[in-house]
Amino acid sequence: YIGAMPGRLIQSLKKAGTSNPLFVLDEIDKVGKDFHGDPASALLEVLDPEQNHAFYDNYVELEYDLSRVMFVATANSLSTIHPALRDRMEIIEVNGYTLEEKIQIAIRHLLPKQLKDSGIKAKQFKLGDGLLEAIVENYTDESGVRTLEKRIAKLVRYRAKQIGLKEKFNVTITVPDLVKIFGPSHARDKYQGNDVAGVVTGLAWTPTGGDILFLETSITKGEGKLTLTGNLGDVMKESAMIALEYLKAHSDIIGLEQEVFKRWNVHIHVPEGATPKDGPSAGIAMV
């Protein structure tokens, strides 16, 4: 990572042989502080167009003009980048691939590459209908195609083993074969609609593109307490409180007596209790 070697920028300029190259700073969100110092602080000077015309390199002990260098940084998550560093950058969002795009990438690029690497001929390996969709949906959870490539490589190796051991096999790999090759899938929650009393579907943001979650409520006789479970953060806890207070404040619109709130306890649970959940977007689902 950045800052791993002394004089890294000057060395790279020397290597490029020009003073206006394009520099890619990969995975800038992984820059970490430790007892050696803080690379993010050094990068403030590197990436600031007001300062970097006289960048002082501690290894070479000379000032050098970096103002003509074009810097492109990549990151998976903005939240771990130092705010001052983020301030000096123009942020370009790159969306993850859709299911259809992943399938086309697999057919055109990933599969031919794996077949070539394994020395398997195209006539020895065919994919059944809906196989790639099943792999993407049930065996990967990502915005890119890295895991998808690993899964395809495993399929190809599986076939290579069958050929090597002279086993009998069906040329076409089908969806039922996947459980035998990959093991059980980690299928995502399936959308069920809001027709079950006390269960509402919400949307969740994740670094890999998002998911759905269910909010479950139940009421018991009591004194009007609100209890919350499911590893919720402060914002979601507040959303639940606001939802209940809103109902109390607008009870005449809904057609509820105020007394109702004093006689029943409300419990809200968000499944997958081991996963921390927070954010403002579940507010309306809670109401």
Side-chain angles (χ1 to χ4, degrees):
Y1 288 122
I2 304 126
M5 276 166 68
R8 189 68 191 263
L9 286 164
I10 303 295
Q11 280 186 354
S12 301
L13 284 165
K14 209 169 140 192
K15 208 161 144 191
T18 175
S19 59
N20 63 341
L22 171 71
F23 272 9
V24 178
L25 308 176
D26 197 25
E27 307 263 4
I28 202 159
D29 52 333
K30 308 283 191 304
V31 170
K33 266 188 194 169
D34 62 5
F35 60 91
H36 293 305
D38 180 7
S41 306
L43 283 170
L44 291 180
E45 195 188 337
V46 172
L47 297 176
D48 192 337
E50 300 298 321
Q51 293 179 34
N52 68 4
H53 57 82
F55 170 69
Y56 186 78
D57 189 294
N58 287 324
Y59 187 63
V60 188
E61 294 188 338
L62 281 171
E63 286 187 351
Y64 194 84
D65 182 4
L66 293 180
S67 61
R68 294 168 63 208
V69 179
M70 172 84 174
F71 289 99
V72 176
T74 69
N76 291 323
S77 164
L78 288 177
S79 56
T80 49
I81 301 174
H82 193 292
L85 198 55
R86 204 164 64 216
D87 219 27
R88 285 162 171 76
M89 298 197 258
E90 181 73 38
I91 289 161
I92 302 164
E93 292 275 350
V94 181
N95 294 324
Y97 297 120
T98 62
L99 173 70
E100 291 76 15
E101 286 169 335
K102 286 180 182 180
I103 288 165
Q104 287 304 318
I105 291 167
I107 291 167
R108 296 183 200 185
H109 304 286
L110 307 180
L111 189 56
K113 180 185 162 195
Q114 292 301 332
L115 289 174
K116 187 181 168 204
D117 288 352
S118 300
I120 292 177
K121 298 179 181 71
K123 66 181 180 196
Q124 294 171 312
F125 186 91
K126 290 203 167 40
L127 299 177
D129 291 340
L131 186 84
L132 287 171
E133 285 97 322
I135 295 173
V136 172
E137 286 285 323
N138 302 330
Y139 290 96
T140 69
D141 184 17
E142 56 179 354
S143 45
V145 291
R146 199 168 277 162
T147 312
L148 178 59
E149 182 164 18
K150 285 181 189 163
R151 297 294 183 200
I152 289 170
K154 192 164 184 177
L155 283 183
V156 173
R157 287 198 303 273
Y158 177 77
R159 177 50 41 89
K161 186 194 82 167
Q162 289 177 321
I163 294 168
L165 296 175
K166 295 189 167 61
E167 293 174 11
K168 279 188 175 175
F169 60 84
N170 186 0
V171 176
T172 306
I173 294 177
T174 58
V175 176
D177 296 334
L178 293 179
V179 178
K180 193 166 69 181
I181 300 167
F182 296 142
S185 70
H186 55 265
R188 292 191 189 91
D189 285 336
K190 287 282 176 276
Y191 178 69
Q192 289 169 352
N194 293 334
D195 40 5
V196 179
V199 181
V200 172
T201 312
L203 287 175
W205 178 92
T206 68
T208 60
D211 216 335
I212 60 172
L213 52 79
F214 297 108
L215 300 167
E216 302 172 350
T217 52
S218 60
I219 51 172
T220 48
K221 285 204 163 145
E223 300 145 19
K225 282 186 191 156
L226 171 66
T227 48
L228 307 166
T229 52
N231 206 339
L232 307 180
D234 291 343
V235 178
M236 273 183 95
K237 284 177 185 165
E238 287 182 3
S239 293
M241 287 175 202
I242 291 166
L244 190 59
E245 291 304 318
Y246 176 85
L247 296 184
K248 285 180 185 174
H250 297 80
S251 56
D252 50 339
I253 300 172
I254 311 159
L256 281 174
E257 295 293 322
Q258 279 290 336
E259 290 300 308
V260 170
F261 294 103
K262 292 177 187 163
R263 293 201 307 268
W264 297 91
N265 289 341
V266 181
H267 177 83
I268 297 182
H269 174 66
V270 186
E272 286 184 50
T275 314
K277 297 172 249 339
D278 203 7
S281 54
I284 197 72
M286 286 193 175
V287 177

